[in-house]
Amino acid sequence: MQGGPDQTEAALLLTERWFTAQGVPHFSAREPIVVRVPHWLSPLRRVVPAVTIAGSVVVWVLRRTRFEVRRAGKLAGRGLPLLALFGMVLFFSGDFWHIASALSAGWLWIVSGLFLVLNYVFLFARLPEEYEKLPQEYAADDVRSACMGTPLQALLGDGSSIDVREDAQIGRAQRRNMLIYLLLCQQVQVFLLSWMVFFFFVAFGAVAVRPAVIAGWLGRAASYPAHVVGVPIPGVSGELLHSALLLSAVSAFYFTVAAITDEGYRQEFFTRTLAELGRAVQVRCGYLSVRASLRQGEPVIQGSNEKVSQTPTM
């Protein structure tokens, strides 16, 4: 059965939406939409596409966060023991409690933010090396296999006459998108794990670190109860909250480094994300192939009438 230009164009549009849903909107090859506005609003012509892309990224981050929350049990089971063991050394140090309790609320958030900046500096330095390792050329069979379950499935399935391009044509915009994709994926994991660490040490400290121990470390009595936005937290001291928050920031930076440099944790936390990005690159190969065949007016033979799932894989 042959698919006409209308069906092919519809599949391309759905694929572009698929790219957006996967967090790689710049993998689309379509020209930016020109927005007609009055002359006095002409500067908005450049703003609208940027706002559209930013909005799609925000939606994707929320969806990715929901996906990781669903996997929170697995994430905690594999990441929390590493961070708990690392954090115990600092948590049972009186000097660490001195440093954390001496910080005002404002300075505590500033110091925690410093570790967030270190996170980004490390990731910006290492992630380009990671996505540059991904192949940009793939065998045609691998491209067709990667397109299964996407809007291109019917066009690139068995019996398709399309000549599959093996070059993904990754340019500057796509590389920038790949960097942002990996950066955000890692930060979503780090965000969730850092808060798990925070709540773990608050609960653990409330049970295991008695007021007399805190007084021995600090040379004064602990302030009970701690207040969060004016709400008292029974059984939790202000010093414990400060220590747990600072420790979660340190642990987040440690996890970021371990997830990329340590082979065991890299396999658990980073390889899957890199594989998802690699699949998107392969789908771009198929997408560009279909676009080229449409421009050349080649007939497209559909080898499958199966219903294609539009549910993102993330």
Side-chain angles (χ1 to χ4, degrees):
M1 179 175 66
Q2 291 186 348
D6 291 342
Q7 291 89 339
T8 304
E9 180 65 27
L12 289 173
L13 289 172
L14 289 174
T15 304
E16 290 162 6
R17 294 178 186 176
W18 185 89
F19 284 142
T20 300
Q22 302 304 306
V24 285
H26 286 289
F27 276 28
S28 169
R30 198 173 297 274
E31 294 296 325
I33 299 174
V34 177
V35 181
R36 295 185 177 276
V37 294
H39 177 71
W40 60 280
L41 289 177
S42 58
L44 291 180
R45 226 179 262 174
R46 297 179 180 179
V47 173
V48 171
V51 171
T52 302
I53 292 293
S56 69
V57 171
V58 170
V59 172
W60 174 79
V61 168
L62 294 176
R63 293 176 62 254
R64 185 76 188 193
T65 302
R66 185 181 64 179
F67 170 76
E68 293 292 353
V69 167
R70 290 176 180 174
R71 300 177 67 254
K74 184 178 292 186
L75 188 65
R78 295 177 178 178
L80 196 55
L82 165 73
L83 300 182
L85 289 174
F86 164 77
M88 286 295 181
V89 178
L90 294 175
F91 191 70
F92 288 122
S93 167
D95 291 336
F96 183 80
W97 282 69
H98 269 289
I99 294 172
S101 60
L103 294 172
S104 64
W107 277 107
L108 181 63
W109 286 108
I110 291 174
V111 173
S112 299
L114 175 62
F115 284 100
L116 178 63
V117 172
L118 290 176
N119 262 325
Y120 280 108
V121 170
F122 173 77
L123 289 173
F124 273 116
R126 285 300 302 267
L127 290 181
E129 301 176 12
E130 299 297 333
Y131 66 71
E132 289 292 348
K133 295 177 184 177
L134 290 174
Q136 294 188 21
E137 295 187 1
Y138 296 87
D141 289 342
D142 293 336
V143 172
R144 294 182 190 276
S145 177
C147 291
M148 295 300 101
T150 73
L152 297 178
Q153 174 176 331
L155 301 180
L156 294 176
D158 296 336
S160 172
S161 63
I162 294 179
D163 183 19
V164 175
R165 292 188 174 188
E166 300 174 352
D167 184 2
Q169 299 180 15
I170 300 297
R172 181 179 298 179
Q174 287 74 44
R175 287 189 176 89
R176 182 172 60 245
N177 200 162
M178 293 163 77
L179 173 62
I180 294 174
Y181 174 87
L182 292 176
L183 182 70
L184 291 178
C185 283
Q186 286 302 106
Q187 288 306 296
V188 168
Q189 287 186 344
V190 168
F191 175 80
L192 293 176
L193 269 175
S194 62
W195 282 108
M196 289 179 189
V197 170
F198 171 75
F199 288 117
F200 169 79
F201 279 109
V202 167
F204 178 76
V207 174
V209 183
R210 309 315 303 160
V213 176
I214 300 177
W217 283 339
L218 300 179
R220 59 174 175 81
S223 54
Y224 284 91
H227 289 77
V228 177
V229 294
V231 179
I233 311 297
V236 176
S237 67
E239 292 77 8
L240 174 57
L241 277 188
H242 278 225
S243 298
L245 183 60
L246 184 58
L247 186 55
S248 68
V250 177
S251 298
F253 178 59
Y254 176 76
F255 169 77
T256 300
V257 175
I260 294 181
T261 59
D262 183 89
E263 192 59 36
Y265 288 97
R266 176 188 175 90
Q267 188 69 28
E268 295 286 348
F269 298 105
F270 188 70
T271 303
R272 174 178 57 84
T273 303
L274 206 57
E276 292 173 354
L277 184 58
R279 187 199 177 199
V281 175
Q282 290 176 290
V283 173
R284 176 174 163 83
C285 289
Y287 166 77
L288 294 177
S289 302
V290 174
R291 279 179 58 90
S293 69
L294 184 63
R295 287 197 300 268
Q296 295 168 5
E298 296 178 359
V300 178
I301 300 177
Q302 296 176 326
S304 173
N305 291 325
E306 296 178 3
K307 182 178 180 181
V308 178
S309 172
Q310 298 301 320
T311 303
T313 59
M314 293 188 301

